[in-house]
């Protein structure tokens, strides 16, 4: 394991709390905030560039002001000029809005979508309900979890 030498060791925070998620302070900022569910590689880099945070900086070296700026951009990305195609919730089925869902909100919205599909007896919803493959994969020989495999030997 490699060691990390810091110039300002007293300003370093080993564990950060961002958007209800524990973020490792030892990792570089772009990789550290990717731990938050709903934030990918390109979106993380885009957010950090808008917040004017050095990409080579460690997450534990971030100041309170930088953390506030990053969490504000994550909450309202379109107001800071992030294009719509970067967002993970495009044309919401309920209100037609474009938004970036993060952590608990992402889980909640996914659960609501699955319940809606099951409620209207949609093909995708039924496949989810039955525990089968949803996206058109073959099921004859793969995905046999939970069932006995192979041929029984005659005595």
């Amino acid at each position: 394991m490699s060691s990390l030498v810091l110039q300002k060791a007293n300003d370093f925070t080993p564990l950060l709390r961002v958007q209800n998620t524990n973020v490792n302070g030892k990792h570089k900022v772009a990789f550290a905030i990717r731990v938050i569910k709903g934030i990918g590689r390109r979106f993380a880099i885009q957010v950090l560039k808008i917040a004017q945070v050095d990409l080579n900086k460690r997450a534990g070296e971030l100041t309170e002001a930088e953390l506030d700026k990053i969490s504000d951009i994550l909450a309202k990305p379109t107001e800071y000029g992030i294009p719509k195609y970067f967002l993970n919730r495009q044309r919401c089925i309920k209100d037609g809005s474009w938004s970036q869902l993060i952590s608990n909100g992402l889980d909640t919205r996914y659960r609501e979508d699955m319940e809606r599909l099951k409620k209207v007896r949609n093909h995708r919803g039924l496949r989810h309900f039955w525990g089968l493959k949803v996206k058109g994969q073959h099921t004859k020989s793969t995905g046999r979890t939970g069932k006995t495999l192979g041929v029984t030997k005659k005595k």
Side-chain angles (χ1 to χ4, degrees):
M1 180 154 170
S2 63
S3 62
L4 183 66
V5 179
L6 301 171
Q7 286 79 22
K8 301 174 189 172
N10 55 352
D11 294 339
F12 185 79
T13 312
L15 192 67
L16 304 169
R17 190 81 175 151
V18 182
Q19 300 287 336
N20 293 332
T21 307
N22 293 331
V23 174
N24 190 350
K26 295 178 184 175
H27 295 163
K28 289 191 177 182
V29 186
F31 295 100
I33 66 171
R34 286 178 52 198
V35 173
I36 302 168
K37 193 168 185 177
I39 297 178
R41 178 177 42 89
R42 293 185 67 211
F43 187 76
I45 292 171
Q46 187 79 15
V47 166
L48 294 174
K49 284 182 180 177
I50 290 172
Q52 297 175 346
V53 175
D54 182 21
L55 296 176
N56 293 320
K57 202 178 211 183
R58 301 283 170 179
E61 298 171 351
L62 290 175
T63 62
E64 265 318 301
E66 289 172 333
L67 282 173
D68 292 339
K69 181 79 170 171
I70 289 171
S71 58
D72 192 40
I73 293 171
L74 292 176
K76 301 174 280 192
T78 51
E79 292 181 14
Y80 287 93
I82 292 181
K84 283 186 169 183
Y85 61 83
F86 260 76
L87 305 179
N88 64 4
R89 179 74 174 182
Q90 300 178 359
R91 290 186 305 266
C92 177
I93 196 79
K94 290 182 179 178
D95 54 4
S97 63
W98 296 59
S99 60
Q100 179 73 17
L101 299 177
I102 298 169
S103 66
N104 297 340
L106 184 65
D107 295 333
T108 305
R109 202 56 74 90
Y110 179 77
R111 193 175 340 96
E112 289 172 0
D113 288 345
M114 288 302 113
E115 291 302 320
R116 180 180 49 80
L117 289 173
K118 291 174 190 174
K119 182 180 173 187
V120 297
R121 309 290 287 174
N122 188 307
H123 178 72
R124 263 179 56 208
L126 291 174
R127 302 284 294 188
H128 275 290
F129 180 71
W130 294 328
L132 298 172
K133 303 265 177 146
V134 177
K135 297 182 178 178
Q137 299 97 322
H138 290 270
T139 56
K140 181 177 180 180
S141 59
T142 63
R144 296 181 182 178
T145 57
K147 299 178 180 113
T148 50
L149 297 174
V151 180
T152 57
K153 187 176 178 181
K154 282 190 177 181
K155 290 187 177 181

